[in-house]
């Protein structure tokens, strides 16, 4: 039969799944011989059963009763017994810590009789007993009975009337208990439950239920904690910090969780129970003061902290209580820390000989590294916050507001810092986004165009700030409270929090980026990053390449550690002034005109490639032939129609209008694009291949790889490949020819496709769209939040690669592609290439490299190392 209850002596820290973090660690401390009050843990399995079935599993009540009896005999008292009561706490504790998210009730077992017994046992300390009793009713009322906590707070404040809670007399506290009981009666229509076992039973249920409280659900979603884990419940014999000045309670860290510095960090509060410290009821004193207050307990605590650090080999945080000079440990766990502290502590522990460099790499994460790479606001001075949107791409940006990309480019060209504010962005805003310090939109979620592009560029972005009314035509936006911001006004946006401020908030640059850019590591944090990155590089199997399509990005990518370019898009090369040439191509009516247009494009392409080959100095450069539908390069239909209607249209405008109408597609993402263009427009791909080959001839050591997009059938690839190979042979240039795998059919027929491809690069953005049947631009705003809410996926499949579906296609293609061609080179170039989870997947699937935007390269390098060293999920969190 299943076992649902574990005594602290039966558990250990590896049982977090079953006992939750708190229970597992209480058991671990118990078994280390540390002073933990006795108790037991009800498993999360029991909770899951309760939440699913609406009733506790069979046998649970029996098991609890048995463990309670054992606890009672160990303590020599009975729960709530009138003359000498055992009191317990009922504490939640899930696998992943969810600070303050769930519930705990202290002093269970008190009622109108046992309160006297408690006083007597405490040497006639009536004050203590009534204080404990009022705490029970307050916590029980709030967390178990769902009564508004304010009602209790209010009564307490009124009674204190400016005094401290420790100034209240026994009589006053007894009166408060009566008041509280009145509140309970009024709010629930029933008396406060006097039966200790009933109190305990109800509290256990309440902890179970708290797993599905709205704030817990929200927290889990933010932290990506699975919704179905459930929580364990701990029943712990009470120890009392509120027995007088020789008692108290505190929290401590074995190192500073903010900076990672070693030392003694913590707070202590005399004559108090645990929850007072966090609630900030009275001012705590620094932990160091405990040395003066109670030297013996202090020394013991320090020695226990050392034991814990050595045992857990990491920063621990702890909760403790001193009852009349006797120290009790009530909780420990490996403590949360800032990103900077994580790197510093990992390296310190290596130097202390507590962990290996391998482990140090697993103790930090790509997300933490990314955080360290963004500039931050120094939050000093008074800030005028005007709204809050979504924290789409971290960092801190300050600048003058502009509403169009043209204006952004213009002002940035004059050396101004600008923030591009748009309702939403589109691909034409790219130049403006590049020019701007940050991007703010009033529409769209974390996977909107603005967010995705900004993250890729490492550009600060706040998106979906829905309180803002943006009017580009009037060059202004409004914020709540009648605030109006015009072009040229300065704002500050915090991409890590989503906050938007009026005026300039001071910014501090990232030393970590300066280091990646080539600065000598001289501060402690940068040295730690340096050591960890070096080790990650030495263990990783995955190569890391960059998505870059200009010499500047390529050069930065190399400085950041890219081992090549995995995706050089060529369509950006047709924007700006060169649109004109594409228009000529589209409007060409004869073979000759078309060839003339292509010939005009070729030298531009060639010079683009020369710049990139030079920047990459002999590293491979994968160039994708043109991918998007041609109408993306043409003027807007509406603008042309207006011109035509008002008689302002030139002959060319009229021709363009006809072309735009002719090329219009219902589903452009599934239309005439990628390899299909190459097959339909003779000479287009040939022109690009020739430009690549000619450029390669001019740059010694250049290593081009030619990549064909959107292939679904090997026949498509064979046709364009044949043409490409001819040109390469004619020019005497050596280049691999390969394909993207971004349609499900290509993945499913990878064995055939590999006949014609020397490499595969998984285009997981398109592959995700087509596998799910999602049009990304449409679905994200329309229903992704609902899907997340329903748990259909825990995170957008555009953010983290969907292992079950898209991942399966990738695995099939890897296996069948390699079966055909064992030396097939395999990479990924979708946005997933820079996402930590997805990098781990790519490692497991056996790819050769990931490719991501330059700014994400260090993250990918680190995660590729961690993928080798990390064995299970819980370590990655
Ligand atoms: P949280 O997870 O919110 O910290 P806890 O279950 O740790 O909740 O409990 C809240 C407070 O009550 C903590 O300060 C804890 O140390 C204290 N506490 C819990 N159980 C006991 C106990 N048996 N005796 C004394 N204090 C306790
Ligand atoms: Mg706690
Ligand atoms: Mg694609």
């Amino acid at each position: 039969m299943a076992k649902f209850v574990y005594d602290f002596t039966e558990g250990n820290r590896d049982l977090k799944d079953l006992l939750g973090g708190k229970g597992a660690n209480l058991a671990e401390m118990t078994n280390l011989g540390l002073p933990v009050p006795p108790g037991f843990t009800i498993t999360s399995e029991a909770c899951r059963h309760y939440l699913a079935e609406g009733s506790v599993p069979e046998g649970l009540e029996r098991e609890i009763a048995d463990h309670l009896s054992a606890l009672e005999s160990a303590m020599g008292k009975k729960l709530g017994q009138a003359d000498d009561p055992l009191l317990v706490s009922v504490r939640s504790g899930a696998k992943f810590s969810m600070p303050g998210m769930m519930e705990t009730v202290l002093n269970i077992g008190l009622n109108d009789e046992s309160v006297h017994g408690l006083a007597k046992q405490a040497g006639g300390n009536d004050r203590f007993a009534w204080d404990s009793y009022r705490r029970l009713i307050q916590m029980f009322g709030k967390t178990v009975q769902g009564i508004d906590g304010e009602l209790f707070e209010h009564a307490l404040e009124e009674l204190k009337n400016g005094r401290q809670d420790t100034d209240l007399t026994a009589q006053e506290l007894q009166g408060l208990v009566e008041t509280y009981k009145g509140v309970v009666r009024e709010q629930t229509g029933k008396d406060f439950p006097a039966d200790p076992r009933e109190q305990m039973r109800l509290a256990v249920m309440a902890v179970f239920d708290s797993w599905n409280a709205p704030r817990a659900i929200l927290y889990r979603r933010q932290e990506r904690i699975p919704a179905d884990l459930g929580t364990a419940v701990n029943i712990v014999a009470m120890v009392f910090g509120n027995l007088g000045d020789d008692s108290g309670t505190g929290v401590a860290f074995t190192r500073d969780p903010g900076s990672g510095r070693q030392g003694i960090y913590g707070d202590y509060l005399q004559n108090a129970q645990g929850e007072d410290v966090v609630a900030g009821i009275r001012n705590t004193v620094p932990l160091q003061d405990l040395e003066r207050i109670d030297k013996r307990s202090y020394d013991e605590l320090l020695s226990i902290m050392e034991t814990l650090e050595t045992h857990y080999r990491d920063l621990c945080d702890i909760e403790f209580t001193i009852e009349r000079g006797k120290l009790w440990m009530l909780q420990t766990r490996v403590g949360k820390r800032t990103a900077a502290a994580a790197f510093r502590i990992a390296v310190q522990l290596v130097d202390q000989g507590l962990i290996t460099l391998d482990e140090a790499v697993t103790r930090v994460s790509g997300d933490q590294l990314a955080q360290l790479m963004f500039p931050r606001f120094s939050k000093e001075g008074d800030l005028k916050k005007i709204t809050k949107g979504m924290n789409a791409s971290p960092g801190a940006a300050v600048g003058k507001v502009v509403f169009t990309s043209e204006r952004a480019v213009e002002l940035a060209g004059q050396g101004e810092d600008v923030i591009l504010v748009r309702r939403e962005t589109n691909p034409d805003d790219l130049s403006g986004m590049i020019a701007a310090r940050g991007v703010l939109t009033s529409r769209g979620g974390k996977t909107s165009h603005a967010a995705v592009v900004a993250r890729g560029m490492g550009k600060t972005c706040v998106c979906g700030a829905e309180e803002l009314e943006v009017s580009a035509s009037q060059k202004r936006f409004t914020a709540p409270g009648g605030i109006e911001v015009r072009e040229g006004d300065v704002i500050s946006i915090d991409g890590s929090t989503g906050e938007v401020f009026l005026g300039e908030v001071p910014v501090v640059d990232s030393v970590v980026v300066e280091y990646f850019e080539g600065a000598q590591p001289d501060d402690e944090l940068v040295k730690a990053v340096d050591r960890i990155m070096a080790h990650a590089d030495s263990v990783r199997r995955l190569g890391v390449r960059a998505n870059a399509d200009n010499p500047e990005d390529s050069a930065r990518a190399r400085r950041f550690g890219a081992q090549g370019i995995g995706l050089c898009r060529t369509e950006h090369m047709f924007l700006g002034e060169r649109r004109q040439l594409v228009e000529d191509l589209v409007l060409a009516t004869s073979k000759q005109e078309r060839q003339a247009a292509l010939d005009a494009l070729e030298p531009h392409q060639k010079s683009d490639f020369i710049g990139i080959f030079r920047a990459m100095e002999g590293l491979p450069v994968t160039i994708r032939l043109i991918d998007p539908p041609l109408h993306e390069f043409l003027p807007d239909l509406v603008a042309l129609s207006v011109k035509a209607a008002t008689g302002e249209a030139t002959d060319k405008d009229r021709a363009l209008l006809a072309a735009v109408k002719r090329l219009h597609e219902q589903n452009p993402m599934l239309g005439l694009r990628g390899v299909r263009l190459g097959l339909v427009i003779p000479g287009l791909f040939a022109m690009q291949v020739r430009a690549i080959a000619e450029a390669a001839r001019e740059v010694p050591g250049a290593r081009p790889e030619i990549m064909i997009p959107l292939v679904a059938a090997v026949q498509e690839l064979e046709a364009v490949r044949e043409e490409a190979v001819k040109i390469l042979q004619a020019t005497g240039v050596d280049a691999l020819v390969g394909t993207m795998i971004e349609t499900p059919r290509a993945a499913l027929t990878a064995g055939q496709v590999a006949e014609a491809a020397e490499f595969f690069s998984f285009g997981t953005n398109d592959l995700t769209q087509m596998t799910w049947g999602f049009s990304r631009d449409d679905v994200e705003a329309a229903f992704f939040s609902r899907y997340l809410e329903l748990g259909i996926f825990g995170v957008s499949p555009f953010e983290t690669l969907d292992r079950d579906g898209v991942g399966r296609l990738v695995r099939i293609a890897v296996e069948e592609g390699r079966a055909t061609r064992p030396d097939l080179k395999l990479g990924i170039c979708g946005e997933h290439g820079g996402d930590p989870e997805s990098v781990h997947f790519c490692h497991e699937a056996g790819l050769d490299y990931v490719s991501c935007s330059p700014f994400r390269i260090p993250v990918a390098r680190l995660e590729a190392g961690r993928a080798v060293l990390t064995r299970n999920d819980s370590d990655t969190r």
Side-chain angles (χ1 to χ4, degrees):
M1 215 179 80
K3 178 172 164 67
F4 293 112
V5 183
Y6 287 70
D7 190 86
F8 288 169
T9 53
E10 293 177 292
N12 67 62
R13 67 169 161 182
D14 296 325
L15 295 180
K16 286 199 187 76
D17 282 338
L18 202 57
L19 305 180
K22 201 178 284 170
N25 288 322
L26 281 167
E28 188 79 10
M29 286 200 290
T30 302
N31 295 326
L32 278 175
L34 300 181
V36 177
F40 54 87
T41 305
I42 303 167
T43 65
S44 56
E45 198 186 337
C47 173
R48 286 195 292 273
H49 181 287
Y50 168 82
L51 292 176
E53 312 288 325
S55 63
V56 300
E58 211 185 299
L60 176 64
E61 307 215 356
R62 177 79 256 145
E63 270 190 76
I64 294 178
D66 289 347
H67 277 85
L68 183 60
S69 301
L71 181 62
E72 288 175 335
S73 12
M75 301 296 290
K77 314 163 184 255
K78 288 207 169 324
L79 182 69
Q81 181 185 324
D83 56 345
D84 180 15
L86 167 68
L87 303 189
V88 297
S89 60
V90 173
R91 317 167 65 185
S92 63
K95 175 176 180 186
F96 302 110
S97 97
M98 300 169 55
M101 285 303 126
M102 294 191 298
E103 314 292 8
T104 287
V105 183
L106 305 183
N107 308 324
I108 295 250
L110 281 175
N111 54 33
D112 291 353
E113 278 105 54
S114 60
V115 67
H116 297 290
L118 184 67
K120 200 175 78 209
Q121 288 308 316
N125 191 339
D126 289 335
R127 191 200 168 277
F128 151 72
W130 288 105
D131 181 52
S132 302
Y133 194 11
R134 71 93 188 161
R135 287 171 187 271
L136 168 64
I137 304 176
Q138 189 167 353
M139 274 192 252
F140 191 94
K142 190 170 158 222
T143 66
V144 181
Q145 302 183 299
I147 299 169
D148 180 2
E150 280 297 308
L151 296 172
F152 298 111
E153 281 303 328
H154 185 74
L156 178 60
E157 282 312 313
E158 205 157 72
L159 180 63
K160 286 201 307 202
N161 192 15
R163 293 173 300 167
Q164 300 240 306
D165 63 322
T166 40
D167 293 334
L168 298 176
T169 64
Q171 280 76 17
E172 284 175 313
L173 287 163
Q174 184 170 1
L176 187 60
V177 164
E178 283 313 314
T179 312
Y180 279 4
K181 286 204 262 183
V183 171
V184 170
R185 218 172 292 122
E186 207 169 90
Q187 297 294 315
T188 66
K190 277 184 269 173
D191 283 333
F192 178 76
D195 175 5
R197 285 175 186 249
E198 181 66 2
Q199 290 172 0
M200 193 175 109
R201 197 182 67 82
L202 291 172
V204 169
M205 306 290 184
V207 171
F208 283 166
D209 285 325
S210 71
W211 178 257
N212 281 334
R215 60 182 175 164
I217 292 173
L218 196 69
Y219 183 85
R220 284 200 293 273
R221 193 172 307 146
Q222 271 165 8
E223 299 292 312
R224 299 191 188 174
I225 296 172
D228 55 1
L229 297 176
T231 178
V233 185
N234 303 287
I235 312 278
V236 191
M238 282 299 298
V239 292
F240 300 101
N242 56 337
L243 270 166
D245 281 345
D246 56 355
S247 305
T249 185
V251 295
F253 294 91
T254 57
R255 295 170 197 241
D256 182 353
S259 69
R261 261 172 225 108
Q262 277 172 283
I264 297 152
Y265 297 87
D267 301 297
Y268 183 68
L269 191 58
Q270 265 173 290
N271 196 9
Q273 277 198 339
E275 76 279 6
D276 296 348
V277 179
V278 251
I281 295 197
R282 274 174 278 141
N283 285 338
T284 56
V285 299
L287 189 59
Q288 281 85 343
D289 290 12
L290 181 60
E291 185 169 17
R292 181 176 43 75
I293 298 168
D294 180 350
K295 172 112 174 74
R296 234 189 44 181
S297 296
Y298 180 76
D299 289 343
E300 187 183 357
L301 182 66
L302 257 49
S303 123
I304 288 177
M305 278 164 58
E306 210 179 303
T307 305
L308 288 174
E309 263 227 347
T310 316
H311 184 71
Y312 282 89
R313 302 179 310 129
D314 205 347
L315 170 151
C316 295
D317 72 22
I318 60 177
E319 292 175 4
F320 65 95
T321 279
I322 297 173
E323 177 179 316
R324 291 197 165 141
K326 162 90 181 109
L327 174 68
W328 293 98
M329 300 300 294
L330 290 169
Q331 189 173 337
T332 192
R333 70 186 154 208
V334 168
K336 295 201 183 235
R337 65 207 70 184
T338 63
F343 278 86
R344 286 213 195 93
I345 291 173
V347 167
Q348 284 166 13
L349 293 173
V350 172
D351 289 339
Q352 284 177 260
L354 283 175
I355 64 173
T356 62
L357 261 174
D358 275 3
E359 283 174 296
V361 170
T362 68
R363 296 285 181 91
V364 295
S365 71
D367 284 338
Q368 287 170 332
L369 181 61
Q371 274 174 38
L372 294 178
M373 291 176 66
F374 291 104
R376 282 167 301 122
F377 282 130
S378 77
K379 299 253 160 125
E380 281 151 24
D382 58 333
L383 307 176
K384 261 199 229 109
K385 179 168 148 186
I386 53 175
T387 191
K388 190 163 180 234
M390 273 180 255
N391 49 341
S393 176
V398 182
K400 290 186 173 167
V401 169
V402 294
F403 293 95
T404 63
S405 275
E406 292 77 55
R407 190 74 181 133
V409 172
E410 188 182 330
L411 279 187
Q414 297 164 15
E416 299 270 13
D417 289 340
V418 299
I419 305 286
L420 178 63
V421 182
R422 308 275 294 158
R423 198 166 288 157
E424 53 207 333
T425 62
N426 61 52
D428 264 341
D429 286 319
L430 206 63
S431 57
M433 294 180 71
I434 292 169
R437 305 290 298 193
V439 180
L440 169 63
T441 68
S442 60
R443 297 283 148 74
K446 279 193 183 178
T447 48
S448 62
H449 177 267
V452 169
V453 175
R455 271 201 298 279
M457 297 195 290
K459 184 102 19 181
T460 301
C461 176
V462 172
C463 67
E466 295 192 344
E467 291 177 337
L468 303 183
E469 282 299 330
V470 179
S471 167
S473 58
Q474 297 176 40
K475 296 190 184 168
R476 66 186 183 107
F477 73 78
T478 55
I483 296 169
E484 187 175 296
V485 178
R486 304 191 151 272
E487 184 177 284
D489 291 350
V490 173
I491 61 169
S492 303
I493 63 173
D494 189 332
S496 312
T497 63
E499 292 167 305
V500 179
F501 305 96
L502 208 55
E504 175 174 347
V505 181
V507 172
V508 276
D509 261 344
S510 160
V511 288
V512 172
V513 169
E514 283 166 14
Y515 152 73
F516 284 127
E517 289 282 10
Q520 277 310 307
D522 57 359
D523 86 8
E524 203 200 324
L525 171 62
V526 173
K527 280 184 188 153
V529 171
D530 181 56
R531 275 176 75 186
I532 288 182
M533 291 304 290
H535 193 67
D537 283 339
S538 76
V539 298
R540 70 183 156 91
R541 186 188 58 71
L542 277 177
V544 176
R545 294 193 187 187
N547 298 350
D549 34 57
N550 59 58
E552 297 75 48
D553 279 359
S554 307
R556 162 179 267 191
R558 283 208 48 205
R559 290 195 298 274
F560 278 22
Q563 295 157 289
I565 289 182
L567 175 62
C568 171
R569 299 179 177 91
T570 49
E571 53 270 18
H572 294 160
M573 302 170 181
F574 295 122
L575 294 176
E577 291 154 17
R578 301 182 195 169
R579 267 175 195 274
Q580 170 85 36
L581 302 173
V582 184
E583 290 171 8
D584 292 345
L585 177 64
V586 172
L587 297 180
T589 50
S590 67
K591 226 171 146 183
Q592 287 78 3
E593 273 180 36
R594 189 173 56 231
Q595 196 54 49
L598 288 170
D599 288 347
L601 278 165
E602 191 177 318
H604 293 288
Q605 286 267 278
K606 181 176 163 189
S607 72
D608 292 330
F609 297 137
I610 288 177
I612 292 167
F613 291 152
R614 287 211 172 113
M616 292 313 286
E617 295 180 23
L619 294 175
V621 177
T622 307
I623 298 167
R624 179 178 72 183
L625 303 189
I626 191 162
D627 181 45
L630 286 186
H631 50 76
E632 280 198 10
F633 301 96
L634 302 183
D636 180 56
L637 173 69
V638 178
L640 286 170
S641 308
V642 169
K643 270 191 181 176
T646 55
E648 283 168 40
T650 61
D651 282 351
K652 181 166 180 189
D653 288 337
R654 271 188 292 277
L656 280 171
L657 181 56
V660 169
K661 286 185 175 158
R662 174 166 48 83
L663 293 175
H664 176 78
E665 292 173 318
Q666 294 293 348
N667 288 312
M669 292 324 275
L670 301 178
L672 179 57
R673 51 175 289 225
V675 67
R676 302 162 195 177
L677 276 176
L679 295 172
V680 167
I681 303 180
L684 177 59
F685 277 9
M687 178 276 289
Q688 292 200 289
V689 173
R690 212 173 305 114
I692 293 168
E694 294 291 341
R697 280 222 297 209
E698 283 188 30
V699 183
R703 281 171 65 192
E705 300 177 346
I706 295 169
M707 180 156 78
I708 316 298
L710 216 76
V711 165
V714 67
Q715 292 83 352
E716 295 170 307
L717 186 59
E718 274 164 352
V720 295
R721 181 191 168 81
E722 200 176 322
E723 190 181 24
V725 168
K726 264 190 212 140
I727 295 168
L728 291 172
Q729 277 168 356
T731 42
V733 168
D734 216 11
L736 299 183
V737 178
T739 182
M740 295 192 70
I741 300 290
E742 54 185 341
T743 66
R745 193 180 189 285
L748 294 169
T749 60
Q752 297 167 19
V753 176
E755 304 273 0
E758 286 157 303
F759 65 87
F760 284 174
S761 179
F762 292 94
T764 48
N765 296 346
D766 270 308
L767 193 57
T768 301
Q769 292 206 97
M770 294 194 217
T771 302
W772 281 87
F774 284 161
S775 146
R776 175 173 186 161
D777 296 332
D778 297 317
V779 293
E780 284 181 336
F783 59 81
F784 260 32
S785 56
R786 181 73 184 131
Y787 266 42
L788 288 164
E789 225 169 76
L790 290 170
I792 293 171
F793 34 66
V795 49
S796 159
F798 291 112
E799 240 178 272
T800 294
L801 191 135
D802 150 41
R803 283 176 179 255
D804 296 347
V806 178
R808 183 153 150 68
L809 284 173
V810 171
R811 286 183 190 274
I812 290 171
V814 167
E815 191 181 313
E816 300 189 0
R818 281 215 173 112
T820 299
R821 191 188 285 264
D823 64 345
L824 186 70
K825 244 210 265 187
L826 297 167
I828 179 178
C829 62
E831 234 218 302
H832 297 109
D835 169 70
E837 274 283 317
S838 313
V839 171
H840 286 239
F841 169 80
C842 293
H843 171 79
E844 289 161 33
L847 302 195
D848 296 307
Y849 68 86
V850 296
S851 186
C852 57
S853 60
F855 212 73
R856 296 296 292 185
I857 284 170
V859 172
R861 284 164 53 201
L862 178 59
E863 289 295 346
R866 295 185 69 228
V868 177
L869 301 168
T870 316
R871 279 157 306 275
N872 62 50
D873 300 348
S874 59
D875 291 339
T876 61
R877 209 175 291 272

